[in-house]
Amino acid sequence: MSNGSETGGLTENKQSIRGNWGSRMGFILAATGSAIGLGNIWKFPYITGVYGGAAFVLVYLVCVVIVGLPLMMAELIIGRRSKKNPVGAFKALHKPRSPWQATGWLGVASGFVILSFYSVVAGWAMAYIFKSLAGFSGTGQQIQSQFGTLVAHPSASIMWHTIFMVLCIGIVIGGVQRGIERWSKILMPTLFAILLALMAYGVFYTHGGPRALEFLFKPDFSKLSAEAVLSALGHAFFTLSLGMGAMLTYGSYMRRDESITRDAITVSALDTIIALIAGVAIYSLVFNFDMDPAAGPGLIFQTLPVLFAKTGPWVSVPFFILLTFAALTSGISLLEVVVAYFIDERGWSRKKTTLILGTAIYLFGLLSAIASLTIPFRGRDQGFFDVFDFISTNYMLPVGGFLTCLFAAWVMKESDRVAEFGSRGPLYKGLIFVLRYVTPVAVFIVLLHGLELLPFMDY
Ligand code: TRP
């Protein structure tokens, strides 16, 4: 295992057989592995609850189609054309001292911040594997209060955060393709099957099914706040791993004979379907057990165990193992972007970079792991966890995505784009039109709206 291309992760591998995943499946798996994660199963259901349900879901779906899909194609085009990390890519396709490389820096910074709190949630998922083994018992209230106990004890949160970061670092040092890619083939479909089963159970065997469907799919626009719209956009970025160059980096390892359009549609569709299935499954339980939809980040950790108390560890242990795995395939993509930048642009070795940056992210994450640390933010005292989540998801990713979109649409050479897209037909013209006039305008308006700066609105 000392051979460079065997032990290397994505970047080493790309240097030996530069630009190729093993197969089309290789890219689809890694990209869906990055996209599908805590964002789908933990975050989507809980923020949908916080922002009031179906109207939020609808705005999110619109964002996926008019912002997410075109932007994913833009990132893949830039990545595959340049075959570089996010900073190098903008330089390669523009000029050596290009100001556009700042977009890449912002991406690297976003990866750093997101992974720091993402790891804390992934840690909760791991803690719940072991809680599941012991079994959940007691009243609904008692089961739900276990989550509060976990979060309130920094030592437990820190321990799991440590373990998750060690796993991410180990995988990124050791070899993404041979480990994660092969496992993804088995584990992603299993996760899908378990979620489908949970959804079927929720819809057909509990009283919560009809109310869940209504809550998620019957919009009441009077409930839609400015913050909700901003968060729907931010979540579209977050769940599709966009706006920080993760898809750009993965695109740089993509084969030339693959269709970017087809792959981007596949990844976005799979990601959206998983989120919706998770939403229906979880809300059926929420309403069945009369829980609060707006419970916040603890939602799945409080609702699902009440059901698991009945099913036993047969269902709960695999569920939390798979959730951890989904988080891991996303976590490594976040770390990979940061690492790829330092390797390519600063000439550090993979091992050194991964160890140093992984440790830095870990230390930064301690702020989020200690729930009792708070700072004033948006008018109230909040934990670092919420603050970092809000800033990175709702500002850093949209700004990064906005700049990436402008670059792809206005700055990049026409010939470069066409070479990657594969044709100049109506589909191509449509994409460029959307990237020029629709996506950036939508992102810009939503950002202004989120900052409460739109002149014609009444805040
Ligand atoms: N998309 C992942 C999720 O839904 C999280 C993630 C992985 C991510 N890589 C990213 C988010 C890059 C933003 C940018 O859990």
Side-chain angles (χ1 to χ4, degrees):
M1 286 301 278
S2 59
N3 161 326
S5 70
E6 291 231 345
T7 52
L10 288 168
T11 303
E12 240 102 323
N13 203 345
K14 118 205 145 186
Q15 276 158 358
S16 45
I17 35 164
R18 185 58 171 110
N20 291 344
W21 290 102
S23 60
R24 170 165 188 249
M25 272 309 273
F27 170 76
I28 296 275
L29 274 175
T32 35
S34 168
I36 296 175
L38 297 169
N40 305 62
I41 297 161
W42 159 73
K43 197 169 185 190
F44 170 71
Y46 108 67
I47 55 175
T48 298
V50 169
Y51 293 118
F56 173 85
V57 175
L58 198 69
V59 177
Y60 153 74
L61 291 176
V62 170
C63 291
V64 166
V65 176
I66 68 170
V67 176
L69 189 59
L71 194 63
M72 187 178 294
M73 295 180 67
E75 284 204 21
L76 295 180
I77 287 174
I78 295 174
R80 193 165 72 178
R81 190 74 208 153
S82 65
K83 301 210 173 297
K84 290 262 161 52
N85 70 89
V87 176
F90 288 99
K91 288 196 279 189
L93 298 181
H94 191 214
K95 56 186 183 201
R97 306 191 68 119
S98 169
W100 287 95
Q101 62 179 300
T103 312
W105 292 332
L106 179 67
V108 173
S110 310
F112 191 101
V113 175
I114 293 175
L115 184 54
S116 79
F117 71 81
Y118 200 82
S119 167
V120 174
V121 185
W124 296 340
M126 280 196 287
Y128 268 75
I129 299 175
F130 293 89
K131 285 188 191 289
S132 301
L133 277 174
F136 297 103
S137 59
T139 64
Q141 284 266 308
Q142 286 166 338
I143 294 174
Q144 289 179 50
S145 67
Q146 288 199 6
F147 178 71
T149 317
L150 172 67
V151 175
H153 281 87
S155 54
S157 289
I158 289 175
M159 179 181 86
W160 294 111
H161 164 61
T162 312
I163 296 175
F164 186 78
M165 282 307 299
V166 168
L167 287 175
C168 280
I169 292 171
I171 292 168
V172 171
I173 290 182
V176 173
Q177 293 217 347
R178 272 160 195 277
I180 286 291
E181 228 187 275
R182 202 165 40 191
W183 279 92
S184 306
K185 278 195 189 131
I186 310 163
L187 292 169
M188 290 318 244
T190 316
L191 176 68
F192 190 70
I194 291 202
L195 278 175
L196 267 184
L198 282 178
M199 178 178 82
Y201 178 87
V203 171
F204 298 118
Y205 293 97
T206 71
H207 305 301
R211 272 183 73 195
L213 293 174
E214 190 175 321
F215 182 73
L216 290 171
F217 301 112
K218 202 166 156 218
D220 170 3
F221 288 99
S222 66
K223 288 190 187 151
L224 208 62
S225 63
E227 190 179 309
V229 177
L230 178 65
S231 297
L233 178 79
H235 186 66
F237 281 96
F238 187 92
T239 190
L240 295 172
S241 301
L242 295 174
M244 56 151 276
M247 286 297 165
L248 189 158
T249 308
Y250 276 16
S252 75
Y253 313 125
M254 205 175 166
R255 287 161 26 143
R256 294 304 298 277
D257 56 2
E258 277 173 50
S259 156
I260 284 181
T261 315
R262 193 182 53 187
D263 284 6
I265 291 176
T266 309
V267 174
S268 319
L270 285 173
D271 186 79
T272 309
I273 290 169
I274 295 274
L276 293 176
I277 293 177
V280 174
I282 287 156
Y283 277 101
S284 304
L285 298 175
V286 168
F287 290 119
N288 187 54
F289 295 110
D290 273 328
M291 298 172 188
D292 176 14
L299 188 70
I300 66 163
F301 298 101
Q302 294 168 323
T303 53
L304 290 177
V306 179
L307 168 70
F308 293 153
K310 297 194 187 145
T311 61
W314 306 112
V315 185
S316 53
V317 172
F319 177 82
F320 286 113
I321 290 179
L322 294 166
L323 185 59
T324 303
F325 187 81
L328 206 52
T329 51
S330 301
I332 56 168
S333 78
L334 288 160
L335 186 55
E336 177 66 23
V337 172
V338 181
V339 166
Y341 163 70
F342 280 89
I343 294 177
D344 289 359
E345 303 295 312
R346 308 261 166 138
W348 295 11
S349 77
R350 170 167 286 268
K351 196 165 168 192
K352 169 178 156 193
T353 321
T354 315
L355 282 174
I356 293 181
L357 279 131
T359 308
I361 293 171
Y362 164 72
L363 293 174
F364 195 66
L366 292 176
L367 288 172
S368 297
I370 305 172
S372 52
L373 291 178
T374 59
I375 47 167
F377 179 69
R378 292 171 64 86
R380 60 200 159 95
D381 276 341
Q382 299 197 38
F384 280 95
F385 179 94
D386 297 294
V387 176
F388 291 145
D389 184 4
F390 197 90
I391 294 177
S392 57
T393 308
N394 295 348
Y395 298 125
M396 295 170 83
L397 296 180
V399 170
F402 178 71
L403 295 173
T404 307
C405 183
L406 291 185
F407 182 85
W410 297 99
V411 182
M412 205 176 158
K413 280 211 278 308
E414 172 86 3
S415 56
D416 279 345
R417 281 196 305 250
V418 174
E420 296 309 320
F421 189 83
S423 85
R424 262 177 212 279
L427 217 57
Y428 172 77
K429 296 219 171 70
L431 174 70
I432 299 306
F433 179 83
V434 171
L435 282 175
R436 285 204 168 147
Y437 305 106
V438 182
T439 310
V441 173
V443 175
F444 192 67
I445 293 177
V446 175
L447 268 171
L448 285 184
H449 191 38
L451 293 168
E452 307 199 340
L453 289 176
L454 278 188
F456 47 86
M457 292 288 288
D458 188 13
Y459 293 107

